[in-house]
């Protein structure tokens, strides 16, 4: 990337809508979540009648003792005498209940309908409690923040006995807001916003808290809620409203403003989702102590509902700061319930939505069929093959923050392949080298080097002026500090020595690649305007490099990725926002030809290119930066200009080895060389734009050639 991609958290203010009708706010799916919702004072709003909960916050969980796969319910303790028969009728088996009550100062009381009970003493904030199921196993999953110890605690209890099967703790810098949810894979995902204004994401894996990422979220966050169904974190910000953040740790760090009203401080937020087949959509609710009511938002509408309770026959209002949404099976069908607090009295209240409103939300969140999202929200994008691979290793993070790591190269040690080296640019000041385990070996502070490539058996003028010629391996990097080409010699042990700079006439040097022909290194270098220059590089007897400009040409816009196939005498250039060009390099008189446009499923920017051979067929790998993927193109064996897209590859997280996936790749490189061990079938190296698990400066991920081959073969088999 040319411009620094600083992690951004930006406030985008929505438009304010004043609408009439029974529902305070209704609008289409196309604008759902993008606007403010401000009911008019003189409009009669729907009203929910509240019932006070006698024992403070309470929650009822439902489970099956036979461990067979079923639908689990989560609600608070109201109308249980009507609820249990409906559940039993649906499951045709014994359905048991777990009652959970929270007293913030005393602790958590848990009991089940089989007569078991457990009390956990302490001062807690409840993040989540739910029945989790995975691979026909079920358990009670509970996450709390312990105010006494300032630790996050995660529990796993047996539903039948309430025995604690797992109890894990994680220290924290306080907690301003905490929420949790179980993923589809049965893992507990946790978000905690600490006292420093940092949002921290964790996942329970292998009996420990696994840090996923952390980033500054700012002040004012009063509560959060996780919607694992749509991979979203919802935040109640008393200064701004309701935010939505992508929970995917490889996603861009940005906030979307779901609700804003300058006169209303939002303090509570909750999401409702379930694996029940009856609930197809999602529901988001939020509350403010400034309004005695609740906002409910689905995919197709938003409404404000007034909350009231009767005291001696007189309607009373509340000042809610907390909300919990739940659903349950009622006698006449599925219903949605709400539990809220009252800041003025300290009491908790519950209410049930009408059957009509509940039915609307269960109908994909739409009030009528004609408002239902097309194809249930499925994308209109064309179908394509997608393969996923796990990283094998990762390099140490680079020294500099922000968009720093950029482009890798691989130097193959001909004598000792396992001692090969990875070269990686830190474009804010250095060229680094790493061994195959990812440990940094060198840091060469030569300036803002952007791209790097290596060449083998380059001729050096003989010291004695005899006919005998010596050869060496070299690396060359584009240096933006000097608009030059930085030249390095690589010795037999993979140690780099800086030989000097070759001046160019480029005004903003950017990408480059090289190849060696008859002992002479040839370099293609470009600048951000699209101008390319080709240099022939020679060395005198003192190993001083000289560059001779032999060719110039231009692409319409900014290029970067560049790779040369010496078997077909073809160079491939990536124009970041447009696609791939090819050029015959056998003569300096040839011009590039546009051969493949960026089109779905490939997304700009296209910044890295590499070649890799599988089963005697050569493929071009290109970074599809916009969707954190890599496009795999078949290169026609008879016409190197003909590229056929086979599909995409994504590098996903290896949770077992705490290596995150890869996002927003700039540069990449691959080799088919046998490097021994896990890399006996080659190596693929890519830059990782967001290095998480935990959050650190950028680095490079390594993927074994065997895994890359398997992924490409899967794409080929799907294509045919």
């Amino acid at each position: 990337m040319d411009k620094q991609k600083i992690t951004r958290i930006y406030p985008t203010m929505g438009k304010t809508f004043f609408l009439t009708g029974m529902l305070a706010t209704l609008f289409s799916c196309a604008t759902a979540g993008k606007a403010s919702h401000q009911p008019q004072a003189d409009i009669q709003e729907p009203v929910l009648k509240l019932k006070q909960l006698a024992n403070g916050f309470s929650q009822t969980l439902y489970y099956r003792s036979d461990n067979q796969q079923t639908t689990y319910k989560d609600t608070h303790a109201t109308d249980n005498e009507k609820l249990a028969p409906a559940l039993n009728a649906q499951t045709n088996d014994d359905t048991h209940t777990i009652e959970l009550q929270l007293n913030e100062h005393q602790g958590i009381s848990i009991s089940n309908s089989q007569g078991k009970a457990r009390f956990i003493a302490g001062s807690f904030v409840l993040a989540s409690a739910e029945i989790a199921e995975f691979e026909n196993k079920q358990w009670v999953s509970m996450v709390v923040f312990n105010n006494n110890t300032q630790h996050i605690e995660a529990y796993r209890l047996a539903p039948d006995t309430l025995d604690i099967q797992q109890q894990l703790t994680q220290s924290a810098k306080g907690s301003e807001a905490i929420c949790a949810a179980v993923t589809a894979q049965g893992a507990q995902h946790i978000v905690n916003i600490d006292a420093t204004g940092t949002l921290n994401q964790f996942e329970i894996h292998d009996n420990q808290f696994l840090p996923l990422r952390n980033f500054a979220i700012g002040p004012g966050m009063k509560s959060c809620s996780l919607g694992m169904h749509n991979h979203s974190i919802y935040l109640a910000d008393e200064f701004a409203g309701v935010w939505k953040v992508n929970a995917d740790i490889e996603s861009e760090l940005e906030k979307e403003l779901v609700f804003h009203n300058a006169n209303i401080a939002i303090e509570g937020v909750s999401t409702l989702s379930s694996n029940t087949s009856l609930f197809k959509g999602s529901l988001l609710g939020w509350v403010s102590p400034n309004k005695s009511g609740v906002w409910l938002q689905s995919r197709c509408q938003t409404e404000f509902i007034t909350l009231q309770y009767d005291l001696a026959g007189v309607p009373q209002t509340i000042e809610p700061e907390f909300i919990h949404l739940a659903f349950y099976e009622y006698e006449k069908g599925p219903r949605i319930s709400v539990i809220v607090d009252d800041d003025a009295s300290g009491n908790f209240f519950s209410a049930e939505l009408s059957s009509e409103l509940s039915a609307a939300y269960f109908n994909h969140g739409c009030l009528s069929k004609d408002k239902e999202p097309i194809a249930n929200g499925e994308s209109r994008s064309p179908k394509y093959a997608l393969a996923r691979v796990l990283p094998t290793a990762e390099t140490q993070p680079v020294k500099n923050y922000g968009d720093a790591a950029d482009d890798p190269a691989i130097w193959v040690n001909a004598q000792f392949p396992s001692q090969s080296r990875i070269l990686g640019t830190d474009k804010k000041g250095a060229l680094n080298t790493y061994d195959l385990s990812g440990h940094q070996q060198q840091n060469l502070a030569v300036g803002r080097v952007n791209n790097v490539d290596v060449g083998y058996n380059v001729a050096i003028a003989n010291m004695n002026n005899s006919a005998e010629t010596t050869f060496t391996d070299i690396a060359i990097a584009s240096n933006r500090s000097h608009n030059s080409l930085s030249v390095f010699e690589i010795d037999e042990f993979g140690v780099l020595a800086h030989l000097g700079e070759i001046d160019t006439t480029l005004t903003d040097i950017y990408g480059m690649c090289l190849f060696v022909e008859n002992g002479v290194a040839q370099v293609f270098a470009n600048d951000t305007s699209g101008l390319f220059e080709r240099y022939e590089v020679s060395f005198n007897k003192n190993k001083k490099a000289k560059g001779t400009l032999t060719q110039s040409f231009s692409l319409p816009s900014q290029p970067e990725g560049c790779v040369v196939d010496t078997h077909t005498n073809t160079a491939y250039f990536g124009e970041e926002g447009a696609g791939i060009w090819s050029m015959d390099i056998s003569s300096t008189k040839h011009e590039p030809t546009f051969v493949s446009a960026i089109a779905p499923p490939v997304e700009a920017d296209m910044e890295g290119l590499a070649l890799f051979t599988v089963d005697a067929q050569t493929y071009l790998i290109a970074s599809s930066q916009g969707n954190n993927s890599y496009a795999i193109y078949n290169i026609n064996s008879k016409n190197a200009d003909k590229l056929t897209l086979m599909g995409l590859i994504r590098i996903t997280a290896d949770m077992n080895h705490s290596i995150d996936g890869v996002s927003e790749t700039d540069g990449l490189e691959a080799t088919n060389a046998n490097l021994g061990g896990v890399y006996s079938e080659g190596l693929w190296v890519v830059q990782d734009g967001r290095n998480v698990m935990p959050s650190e400066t950028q680095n490079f991920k390594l993927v074994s050639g065997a895994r890359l081959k398997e992924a490409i073969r899967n794409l080929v088999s799907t294509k045919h």
Side-chain angles (χ1 to χ4, degrees), residues 204-521:
I204 302 297
H205 187 77
D206 197 22
N207 295 319
Q208 61 182 343
F209 276 77
L210 179 63
L212 300 181
R213 68 173 176 177
N214 60 76
F215 54 91
I217 198 68
M221 302 304 167
K222 304 297 288 186
S223 67
C224 67
S225 186
L226 269 169
M228 299 311 297
H229 55 288
N230 61 355
H231 304 289
S232 297
I233 305 169
Y234 295 97
L235 305 168
D237 183 344
E238 64 176 334
F239 302 129
V242 180
W243 295 102
K244 178 181 177 181
V245 177
N246 195 327
D248 183 353
I249 62 174
E250 297 293 348
S251 65
E252 189 82 18
L253 293 181
E254 57 187 16
K255 296 189 297 185
E256 173 188 343
L257 193 59
V258 173
F259 172 87
H260 168 73
N261 186 312
N263 299 317
I264 296 175
I266 303 301
E267 298 202 13
V269 64
S270 177
T271 54
L272 175 65
S273 63
S274 172
N275 52 8
T276 176
S277 60
L278 295 173
F279 191 67
K280 303 296 185 182
S282 62
L283 183 63
L284 176 66
W286 59 88
V287 293
S288 167
N290 305 122
K291 295 280 289 183
S292 183
V294 55
W295 286 264
L296 295 177
Q297 183 183 93
S298 67
R299 298 175 69 183
C300 289
Q301 71 268 346
T302 299
E303 60 181 320
F304 178 81
I305 301 176
T306 297
L307 298 175
Q308 292 180 351
Y309 73 98
D310 288 336
L311 181 62
V314 179
Q316 304 290 317
T317 60
I318 64 169
E319 300 175 9
E321 293 184 331
F322 168 87
I323 178 174
H324 174 72
L325 296 176
F327 82 97
Y328 62 92
E329 278 295 311
Y330 197 67
E331 287 177 333
K332 297 181 180 180
R335 296 281 288 272
I336 295 170
S337 60
V338 180
I339 184 168
V340 293
D341 72 339
D342 177 24
D343 184 50
S345 66
N347 295 323
F348 283 84
F349 298 85
S350 67
E352 288 75 43
L353 270 63
S354 68
S355 58
E356 292 80 8
L357 283 177
S358 291
Y361 290 124
F362 277 93
N363 176 32
H364 298 282
C366 300
L367 290 177
S368 61
K369 288 290 185 180
D370 58 352
K371 287 183 176 292
E372 185 172 335
I374 296 175
N376 297 332
E378 292 184 4
S379 171
R380 295 180 181 269
S381 301
K383 300 291 185 180
Y384 62 93
L386 174 66
R388 302 177 188 273
V389 299
L390 298 179
T392 309
E394 62 181 335
T395 68
Q396 291 177 235
V398 298
K399 177 181 178 181
N400 289 299
Y401 288 86
D403 184 29
D406 193 276
D407 186 53
I410 303 169
W411 175 74
V412 178
N413 188 325
Q415 296 296 320
F416 305 101
S418 64
Q419 300 301 311
S420 297
R421 292 288 182 262
I422 297 164
L423 287 65
T425 61
D426 178 343
K427 61 187 177 186
K428 294 189 175 182
L431 178 66
N432 299 325
T433 69
Y434 310 89
D435 61 24
L436 296 183
S437 65
H439 293 104
Q440 183 175 305
Q441 301 298 305
Q442 285 183 276
N443 174 261
L444 301 156
V446 294
R448 295 183 293 114
V449 287
N450 203 73
N451 284 42
V452 63
D453 205 354
V454 300
Y456 302 90
N457 297 319
V458 177
I460 303 293
N462 189 269
M463 294 288 291
N464 299 320
N465 295 321
S466 66
E468 183 180 354
T469 303
T470 59
F471 297 88
T472 191
D473 295 345
I474 65 169
I476 296 180
S478 54
N479 194 321
R480 303 189 74 181
S481 293
H482 313 294
N483 281 317
S484 62
L485 296 170
S486 299
V487 183
F488 306 86
E489 182 178 24
I490 308 174
D491 72 12
E492 58 184 320
F493 303 106
V495 177
L496 273 63
H498 185 205
L499 299 181
E501 305 291 320
I502 294 175
D503 293 332
T504 72
T505 64
L506 300 173
T507 58
D508 188 15
I509 197 168
Y510 197 41
M512 60 80 55
C513 61
L514 70 84
F515 68 100
V516 178
E517 183 180 39
N518 298 322
V520 178

Side-chain angles (χ1 to χ4, degrees), residues 508-556:
D508 188 15
I509 197 168
Y510 197 41
M512 60 80 55
C513 61
L514 70 84
F515 68 100
V516 178
E517 183 180 39
N518 298 322
V520 178
Q522 306 266 351
V523 178
F524 289 104
N526 66 69
D527 67 17
T528 54
S529 70
L531 176 62
F532 272 86
E533 293 184 344
R534 179 174 176 174
Y535 288 88
E536 184 176 289
V537 180
S538 59
F539 296 87
N540 66 16
K541 61 183 180 180
N542 296 317
K543 297 185 179 180
K544 180 176 176 58
K546 176 184 178 183
T548 302
L549 180 62
T550 60
Q551 184 180 8
S552 296
F553 56 90
S554 291
L555 300 186

Side-chain angles (χ1 to χ4, degrees), residues 94 103 161 180 211 251 272 318 326 456 458-459 588 618 651 703:
D94 289 334
N103 184 303
T161 65
S251 65
L272 175 65
I318 64 169
Y456 302 90
V458 177
T588 58
T618 302
I651 302 175
V703 178

Side-chain angles (χ1 to χ4, degrees), residues 611-619 671-672 681 709 712-713:
L611 299 168
F612 194 71
T613 300
V614 182
D615 302 326
Q617 170 63 49
T618 302
Y619 296 89
T671 179
N672 283 98
E681 295 185 54
K709 285 182 180 180
I712 293 176
R713 287 174 181 140

Side-chain angles (χ1 to χ4, degrees), residues 161-194:
T161 65
L162 297 183
D163 290 339
I164 297 177
Q165 299 173 329
Q166 181 187 70
Q167 180 180 356
L168 303 173
T169 63
Q170 171 69 38
S171 61
K173 298 176 181 178
S175 180
E176 299 298 310
I178 186 168
C179 49
V182 177
T183 69
Q185 294 73 38
Q188 185 64 264
H189 198 99
I190 302 165
V191 169
N192 182 57
I193 301 172
D194 65 28

